[in-house]
C-alpha cells in the first residue's frame, strides 16, 4: 500500500503579512514609548517647540517663504498673569478643573449647534484636547486626527496635572502668524510681559484664540470686541479663586 505524501503549500504572501504585522507593531510600540517618554520629560522641562510650530515652519519653507519666523518664548505659569489663565478657562473650557480631558456635555451641544447651522461652527474641544493637538498632532477636522487625539489627551491628563496642562497650552497656542505662546503675544500686541497683562488685554487675547488667522488682537472686529466683553463677564462670575481648583 503506497504512502500518501503530504504536500506542504507555501504562500509567500503569508510570510510577508506576518513580517509586515511585526513591523507595524514595532513602529507602533516605538511611537507609544516615545510619546510617553517625551510627555514625562515635558512634565518638568520647557517645551522647545510643538508639532504645529514645526509644521508651520516646514509649510512656509516648501512655499519658499523664507521670511517666516517663529516668535516663541517659554515662560513659567508663575510669570503669566492670573487674568490670562482665568480668561482662557472662561472662554475655552469652564469645566477644565473637573473633567478628565473631555467635556462630553460641551461636545454634545457643539454637535447639535453644528447640525443646525454651518455659518459659525462650534467646537467642544477642551483645553486638554487643544494642548494634545498643538503639541503632538496637526490641525484640521479629519477623523483620523480626532481619533488619535483621544488617547493622547488621556495620556496628558494622566501624566500631568491641570496646572501643567494650562501652562503648556498658554505657551504653545498660536496668537497670530508665527506668534506662539502668551509671552510672545503679550510683547507683540501690548509691549509688555505676560505677567503684566490686564483683564481687558487677557480677555482680548483669549477672544482671538479659536482662529488667530481670522481674528486680530491689533485690529479687533465687532465680533471680537463682543466676545471680549462676554469673556470679561464670565471671568467676573468665576473669580480669581476658581484657579485654586487647579492646585
Amino acid at each position: 500500500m503506497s504512502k500518501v505524501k503530504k504536500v506542504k503549500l507555501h504562500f509567500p504572501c503569508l510570510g510577508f503579512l506576518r513580517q509586515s504585522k511585526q513591523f507595524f507593531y514595532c513602529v507602533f510600540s516605538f511611537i507609544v514609548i516615545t510619546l510617553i517618554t517625551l510627555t514625562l520629560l515635558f512634565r518638568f522641562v520647557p517645551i522647545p517647540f510643538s508639532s504645529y510650530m514645526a509644521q508651520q515652519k516646514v509649510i512656509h519653507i516648501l512655499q519658499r517663504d523664507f521670511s517666516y519666523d517663529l516668535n516663541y518664548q517659554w515662560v513659567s505659569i508663575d510669570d503669566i498673569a492670573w487674568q490670562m489663565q482665568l480668561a482662557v478657562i472662561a472662554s475655552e473650557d469652564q469645566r477644565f478643573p473637573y473633567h478628565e480631558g473631555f467635556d462630553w456635555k460641551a461636545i454634545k451641544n457643539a454637535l447639535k449647534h453644528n447640525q443646525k447651522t454651518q455659518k459659525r461652527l462650534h467646537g467642544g474641544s477642551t483645553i486638554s484636547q487643544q494642548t494634545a493637538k498643538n503639541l503632538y498632532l496637526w490641525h484640521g477636522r479629519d477623523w483620523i486626527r480626532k481619533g488619535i487625539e483621544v488617547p493622547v489627551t488621556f495620556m496628558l491628563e494622566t501624566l500631568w496635572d491641570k496646572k501643567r496642562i494650562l501652562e503648556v497650552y498658554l505657551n504653545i497656542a498660536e496668537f497670530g502668524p508665527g506668534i506662539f505662546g502668551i509671552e510672545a503675544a503679550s510683547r507683540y500686541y501690548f509691549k509688555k510681559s505676560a505677567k503684566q497683562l490686564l483683564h481687558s488685554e487677557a480677555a482680548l487675547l483669549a477672544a482671538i484664540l479659536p482662529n488667530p488667522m481670522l481674528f486680530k488682537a491689533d485690529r479687533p472686529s465687532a465680533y471680537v470686541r463682543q466676545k471680549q466683553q462676554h469673556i470679561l463677564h464670565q471671568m467676573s462670575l468665576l473669580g480669581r479663586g476658581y484657579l485654586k481648583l487647579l492646585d
Side-chain angles (χ1 to χ4, degrees):
M1 190 173 179
S2 61
K3 294 183 179 179
V4 178
K5 292 184 178 180
K6 292 183 179 180
V7 179
K8 291 184 178 181
L9 298 177
H10 296 279
F11 297 96
C13 60
L14 290 179
F16 174 76
L17 288 174
R18 290 193 194 97
Q19 290 179 353
S20 298
K21 187 177 179 181
Q22 290 177 344
F23 173 76
F24 286 118
Y25 176 77
C26 290
V27 171
F28 176 76
S29 300
F30 175 77
I31 292 172
V32 170
I33 292 171
T34 302
L35 280 177
I36 293 174
T37 303
L38 282 174
T39 304
L40 285 171
L41 179 65
F42 289 155
R43 180 177 179 177
F44 305 103
V45 302
I47 311 294
F49 61 89
S50 69
S51 171
Y52 184 62
M53 291 180 203
Q55 290 166 38
Q56 288 300 300
K57 186 66 176 178
V58 170
I59 288 171
H60 282 82
I61 290 174
L62 293 176
Q63 294 174 345
R64 298 182 179 278
D65 179 9
F66 301 108
S67 63
Y68 180 84
D69 287 321
L70 294 176
N71 186 356
Y72 171 61
Q73 182 180 346
W74 175 275
V75 288
S76 165
I77 197 166
D78 295 328
D79 291 321
I80 300 173
W82 67 265
Q83 292 93 331
M84 191 65 230
Q85 299 176 43
L86 188 63
V88 293
I89 292 175
S91 174
E92 300 287 307
D93 185 6
Q94 292 192 15
R95 287 183 47 78
F96 178 61
Y98 300 106
H99 64 64
E100 296 180 351
F102 300 90
D103 187 346
W104 303 112
K105 184 177 180 181
I107 293 172
K108 184 178 179 181
N109 291 337
L111 289 172
K112 283 184 178 180
H113 175 272
N114 296 341
Q115 286 174 352
K116 293 178 181 179
T117 179
Q118 295 291 314
K119 289 184 179 180
R120 184 169 282 141
L121 297 177
H122 284 188
S125 294
T126 63
I127 287 175
S128 303
Q129 288 176 266
Q130 293 179 57
T131 304
K133 176 183 67 177
N134 291 335
L135 181 57
Y136 289 132
L137 305 174
W138 62 92
H139 286 209
R141 294 183 176 275
D142 59 283
W143 289 105
I144 295 176
R145 196 269 296 164
K146 289 182 178 295
I148 299 173
E149 185 182 288
V150 174
V152 175
T153 301
F154 276 128
M155 179 180 65
L156 293 187
E157 284 278 343
T158 301
L159 301 179
W160 294 354
D161 57 28
K162 290 288 186 178
K163 214 163 188 177
R164 181 59 173 177
I165 293 174
L166 181 63
E167 181 180 46
V168 173
Y169 172 72
L170 284 169
N171 269 288
I172 65 175
E174 187 177 27
F175 288 89
I179 303 171
F180 290 91
I182 189 58
E183 183 69 13
S186 180
R187 293 190 180 278
Y188 182 86
Y189 293 116
F190 303 115
K191 313 303 179 190
K192 62 173 68 173
S193 69
K195 197 170 186 176
Q196 299 173 312
L197 286 170
L198 305 176
H199 280 77
S200 60
E201 295 165 340
L204 180 59
L205 289 176
I208 69 169
L209 270 180
N211 192 341
M213 299 299 105
L214 177 62
F215 305 134
K216 310 293 182 181
D218 51 354
R219 297 188 305 277
S221 62
Y223 171 76
V224 172
R225 286 297 187 189
Q226 183 182 9
K227 188 171 182 183
Q228 178 193 26
Q229 293 304 311
H230 173 73
I231 294 171
L232 284 169
H233 178 63
Q234 294 300 310
M235 289 170 66
S236 66
L237 293 177
L238 293 176
R240 183 177 183 176
Y242 198 73
L243 294 173
K244 292 182 180 179
L245 297 171
L246 305 181
D247 294 332

